[in-house]
Amino acid sequence: MSPEAKKEKKFALTLPAEELMACGHLACQGCGATLAMRYMLKALGQKTVLCIPACCWAVIDGPYPYSSLDVPIYHCAFETAASTATGVKAGLEATGDTETTVVAWAGDGGTFDIGIQALSGAAERNDDIIYVCYDNEAYMNTGIQRSSATPYGAWTTTTPVKHFKNRPKKDIVAILAAHRIPYIATASVSHPEDFVKKMKKAKDIRGTRFFHVYAPCPTGWKSRPEDTIKLARMAVQNGYFPLYEIEDGEKTTVNLKLKERKPVEDFLRLQGRFRHLKPAEVAAVQAEVDARWERLMRSCAG
Amino acid sequence: MRKVIMGNHALSYGAMLARSQVISAYPITPQTQVVELLSEMCADGTLDAQFIKVESEHSAMASCIGASVAGARAFTATSAQGLALMHEMLHWAAGGRHPIVMGNINRAMAPGWSIWTDQNDSLSQRDTGWMQFYCSSNQEVVDTVIQAFKVAETLMIPAMVILDAFALSHTYEVVDVPDQALVDRYLPPFKPSIKLTPADPRAFGGLTGAEHYMELRYKLQKDMEKAPALIEETGREFGKVFGRELGLVDPYLCGDAEFVFVTSGTAGFTARVAVDELRAAGVKAGNLRIKVFRPFPFDRVREVLGKVKKAAVVDRNCSYGAGGIFYQEVKSAVYGRPGMPPLIGYVAGLGGRDITTAQFKEVAADAMAKAKAEEEIVWIGVKK
């Protein structure tokens, strides 16, 4: 193979051509969550049903009687993504449909906060669902309020700059890993091939599968819509949001190994929500990212 | 087949005979035996159903909703605090038109902690859009579960089958457990016209603006208005198949009565004994037991009350600041109608305190001594 052909092959898009998401949705410009949905459906295909609680996607899909998706959706209560999906799966099984993939699709508030009880219950029972948390790191649909997924240092409307969030983001992946479910993966809209590959892998696994998808939000992060992919990629490359998977709660594999991690400061400076951070606070973010990265490396080695 | 079973197991047999396909439940005293028996039935193959052992009542109702929208017949059971925790999802089940049937064991709300009966738990869910059937015997419990599925699935409105804690839930009675083949004839499989399936992708319950929302709720009310006739029709059909008719109300010796009790639940059967004793003493008494609270049987209540001189509504519940809840409803049924008797409201038996025949006779004496209706609620058996 010629060097040109090799280069061509390396950059060829491997995403399925099937489109189950139409234009006409109601997302903001540069919305990461919208891309995440599109990629997930490309991986799972049409035999999929979605349970979507209160979150940006409750609106993005479109108001009654419209829907921008070509798969069925049940709009469920805020804290019930997992429990509704569990019921849907049981109902489909009871009526003879054993093939359809049932997905709970929730934001970070619906996952890290109000929905964590139902999620933990489903994970402990190992209910046969895929739970996807698209994480834009705050309650964006209600107007940018902090959630337990909001990172240290971030401004939100309930963590004003004089009183910014001073606690780290909850480690939702570790919580799910502690349930020893068969499959957990992180994914980012900047790496669609990696996301689709892992989602396809998850589709063929039975039991509870959990995805933590990084989904930048220009509206809430005070970033430029055209920087969404750039920010997501920077977060992956500086170790702020590493791409990895955990099988059976034990076997951790880093999907994108980083020879050197870029400083987190460049990433923070592109977002208005971190504008107020002083050098010492930026250093604190860097230290936290470094510590997290070290933990991840240790868990891969162990 | 005749069996001696507890009220809770009557709920289990009802859910089994209805061929429930998904059961999702969380334990709470005094409901536990309902789901214990169903769990065994699922385990030994007596019942071919998915049993989801959820981590809360909120998730129990959420997963019943998921199962129902996927096209399965779903059943659950709860009580008191569990029912209150479900409150949000009760609105969801009714608003989404998911015909789930749920057993609720009437138990007083905490604090102080109580596991004993009163009706404030279920009556607090009055406005959620669920039908509510109040039972007075274990036979009525098993029969009503089967009928409730038929009515619920016809109207696409969920239904609650309600029984008193301990007074019925843990009391053993002889029950004629219906024959499965007859139940199958009476209750066809659940076949909703639309459901959550990739074969017919639809979005359920999305953002609904002011131009559509009101029509959805109008339809719920209009379908609820069809429920009284449907409950009577399916109740008569039940009578033809099983020999026991089921209705909206259960009048006892009301034909020539001058004075009636208006009651519900197990107190409704205690009142019958009091009626017999009053009649033996020369008082033309009767008892109107209200079986269905939502939809409220306005016509049936008026038919009985229009012929009597006075009525005493005995409530095992209280809407604080207004009084007994059945009393409020009965008042609204007779309001502005000529020929209706004065009504007097009584509150008794909260938190599992016994309501005795002696107390019913005390109510009768008090009511008959009063010349006209009074706003003040009379508390029976309370230590003041």
Side-chain angles (χ1 to χ4, degrees):
Chain A
M1 200 182 281
S2 70
E4 289 75 23
K6 270 188 184 168
K7 196 176 175 188
E8 183 82 359
K9 187 164 183 286
K10 192 177 174 189
F11 288 100
L13 286 175
T14 56
L15 299 184
E18 188 180 25
E19 282 292 358
L20 292 165
M21 186 177 156
C23 52
H25 61 75
L26 301 182
C28 304
Q29 275 193 331
C31 171
T34 309
L35 293 169
M37 174 66 86
R38 181 170 170 235
Y39 297 143
M40 178 190 73
L41 291 178
K42 279 177 176 290
L44 296 181
Q46 213 267 324
K47 275 201 170 173
T48 302
V49 298
L50 303 178
C51 298
I52 304 183
C55 62
C56 288
W57 253 101
V59 178
I60 293 172
D61 176 51
Y64 172 85
Y66 303 106
S67 172
S68 53
L69 300 183
D70 220 3
V71 295
I73 302 168
Y74 191 78
H75 289 277
C76 60
F78 206 168
E79 64 279 54
T80 68
S83 46
T84 305
T86 290
V88 167
K89 182 66 187 176
L92 290 174
E93 293 258 349
T95 52
D97 177 354
T98 54
E99 284 183 12
T100 297
T101 305
V102 179
V103 176
W105 175 269
D108 49 285
T111 303
F112 286 61
D113 290 343
I114 197 168
I116 197 168
Q117 175 180 323
L119 171 58
S120 174
E124 184 274 328
R125 294 186 300 270
N126 200 23
D127 290 338
D128 192 17
I129 61 170
I130 298 180
Y131 190 109
V132 183
C133 170
Y134 66 93
D135 183 5
N136 51 29
E137 303 198 310
Y139 291 90
M140 298 310 186
N141 196 34
T142 47
I144 324 168
Q145 293 82 30
R146 66 91 88 183
S147 75
S148 60
T150 302
Y152 168 86
W155 161 90
T156 68
T157 58
T158 50
T159 47
V161 292
K162 282 185 183 167
H163 195 197
F164 63 75
K165 195 184 178 222
N166 62 0
R167 291 285 299 154
K169 183 186 182 91
K170 190 187 278 183
D171 189 348
I172 195 74
V173 169
I175 291 169
L176 268 296
H179 289 73
R180 296 184 172 264
I181 54 176
Y183 190 71
I184 300 168
T186 68
S188 171
V189 293
S190 59
H191 292 70
E193 286 91 347
D194 170 78
F195 182 20
V196 168
K197 188 178 153 197
K198 287 189 282 194
M199 188 57 80
K200 280 184 165 176
K201 178 177 177 180
K203 186 185 175 185
D204 294 329
I205 296 170
R206 298 275 69 81
T208 305
R209 295 140 285 168
F210 181 81
F211 276 77
H212 184 201
V213 184
Y214 200 56
C217 170
T219 309
W221 294 9
K222 303 301 170 200
S223 57
R224 297 189 304 174
E226 60 269 36
D227 282 347
T228 287
I229 300 301
K230 185 178 180 180
L231 281 168
R233 185 175 292 121
M234 289 171 98
V236 169
Q237 291 178 343
N238 64 23
Y240 189 92
F241 194 90
L243 297 180
Y244 61 105
E245 54 195 330
I246 303 175
E247 286 159 280
D248 302 316
E250 282 180 348
K251 191 189 160 205
T252 305
T253 309
V254 173
N255 304 118
L256 193 75
K257 295 199 171 64
L258 303 172
K259 285 187 188 124
E260 57 171 325
R261 287 182 295 116
K262 290 171 185 167
V264 79
E265 182 165 11
D266 305 344
F267 163 77
L268 300 178
R269 292 297 173 217
L270 281 176
Q271 303 170 59
R273 64 173 174 157
F274 294 118
R275 189 183 298 143
H276 53 276
L277 293 186
K278 297 183 177 71
E281 290 149 3
V282 170
V285 174
Q286 184 67 59
E288 189 199 320
V289 170
D290 292 346
R292 251 192 355 244
W293 180 260
E294 290 307 320
R295 276 203 301 277
L296 179 62
M297 291 302 109
R298 277 201 302 276
S299 64
C300 288
Chain B
M1 191 205 303
R2 288 166 78 80
K3 282 183 181 234
V4 179
I5 57 173
M6 69 193 307
N8 278 343
H9 286 172
L11 275 176
S12 316
Y13 277 103
M16 179 203 80
L17 290 165
R19 295 192 186 276
S20 300
Q21 293 167 293
V22 175
I23 296 156
S24 182
Y26 185 79
I28 182 170
T29 302
Q31 153 267 30
T32 42
Q33 293 83 5
V34 183
V35 290
E36 283 169 3
L37 182 56
L38 283 168
S39 184
E40 279 177 31
M41 287 169 169
C42 289
D44 69 16
T46 312
L47 176 59
D48 181 18
Q50 307 268 328
F51 196 115
I52 311 170
K53 288 124 187 173
V54 281
E55 80 299 329
S56 73
E57 288 90 352
H58 197 279
S59 287
M61 186 48 63
S63 48
C64 280
I65 288 168
S68 184
V69 76
R73 185 170 283 162
F75 178 86
T76 186
T78 189
S79 181
Q81 312 299 132
L83 185 68
L85 183 61
M86 278 182 189
H87 176 73
E88 179 195 23
M89 302 322 295
L90 298 185
H91 280 283
W92 213 282
R97 308 299 294 266
H98 307 304
I100 298 153
V101 171
M102 167 165 61
N104 181 67
I105 321 299
N106 269 147
R107 162 182 157 178
M109 296 297 297
W113 278 116
S114 169
I115 54 171
W116 298 280
T117 194
D118 75 38
Q119 299 169 325
N120 261 68
D121 59 347
S122 53
L123 290 172
S124 295
Q125 308 305 332
R126 185 187 68 173
D127 301 334
T128 54
W130 281 62
M131 293 184 280
Q132 291 198 353
F133 297 77
Y134 286 81
C135 297
S136 302
S137 70
N138 292 353
Q139 184 69 60
E140 203 169 63
V141 171
V142 67
D143 292 349
T144 302
V145 171
I146 296 162
Q147 183 199 18
F149 270 115
K150 192 176 175 84
V151 176
E153 290 170 6
T154 305
L155 298 173
M156 297 298 277
I157 295 175
M160 229 180 267
V161 178
I162 300 158
L163 51 151
D164 285 305
F166 301 103
L168 210 54
S169 69
H170 287 62
T171 299
Y172 283 74
E173 293 182 334
V174 177
V175 170
D176 184 3
V177 178
D179 181 64
Q180 182 70 64
L182 292 180
V183 176
D184 291 344
R185 207 171 81 197
Y186 177 79
L187 179 66
F190 177 43
K191 297 277 181 206
S193 60
I194 55 168
K195 60 179 184 174
L196 197 69
T197 169
D200 178 24
R202 293 166 185 266
F204 292 75
L207 185 66
T208 308
E211 70 272 39
H212 295 300
Y213 184 91
M214 198 161 164
E215 284 67 28
L216 297 177
R217 291 302 176 263
Y218 172 77
K219 285 177 182 172
L220 179 56
Q221 168 62 18
K222 283 290 151 191
D223 286 338
M224 202 55 127
E225 286 171 12
K226 294 175 192 163
L230 184 65
I231 291 167
E232 292 193 320
E233 186 192 318
T234 56
R236 281 191 296 273
E237 194 191 330
F238 196 95
K240 280 182 194 148
V241 178
F242 302 101
R244 296 178 296 275
E245 277 205 14
L246 300 167
L248 295 162
V249 296
D250 172 29
Y252 179 71
L253 302 182
C254 289
D256 65 340
E258 294 179 350
F259 164 82
V260 295
F261 299 110
V262 181
T263 54
S264 60
T266 50
F269 275 12
T270 310
R272 285 188 186 184
V273 180
V275 165
D276 290 343
E277 291 178 10
L278 285 165
R279 285 205 169 237
V283 181
K284 281 191 172 176
N287 178 50
L288 175 63
R289 181 170 67 93
I290 295 180
K291 166 84 186 296
V292 180
F293 178 75
R294 278 291 179 273
F296 195 78
F298 291 104
D299 290 342
R300 294 288 171 263
V301 168
R302 285 179 201 128
E303 275 170 21
V304 171
L305 294 189
K307 293 175 192 156
V308 304
K309 290 180 179 162
K310 199 170 284 167
V313 185
V314 181
D315 271 291
R316 197 168 214 158
N317 60 76
C318 186
S319 174
Y320 307 104
I325 296 168
F326 278 83
Y327 179 48
Q328 311 298 321
E329 303 279 331
V330 174
K331 273 200 288 188
S332 78
V334 304
Y335 175 77
R337 306 260 167 175
M340 289 296 165
L343 301 176
I344 298 162
Y346 298 84
V347 170
L350 299 189
R353 189 164 296 182
D354 271 346
I355 306 180
T356 61
T357 51
Q359 285 177 341
F360 272 110
K361 287 194 278 187
E362 185 187 327
V363 165
D366 182 81
M368 286 188 289
K370 283 176 173 151
K372 55 182 173 48
E374 287 182 3
E375 277 301 310
E376 195 183 341
I377 302 300
V378 184
W379 288 71
I380 298 297
V382 73
K383 298 188 272 283
K384 288 180 182 167

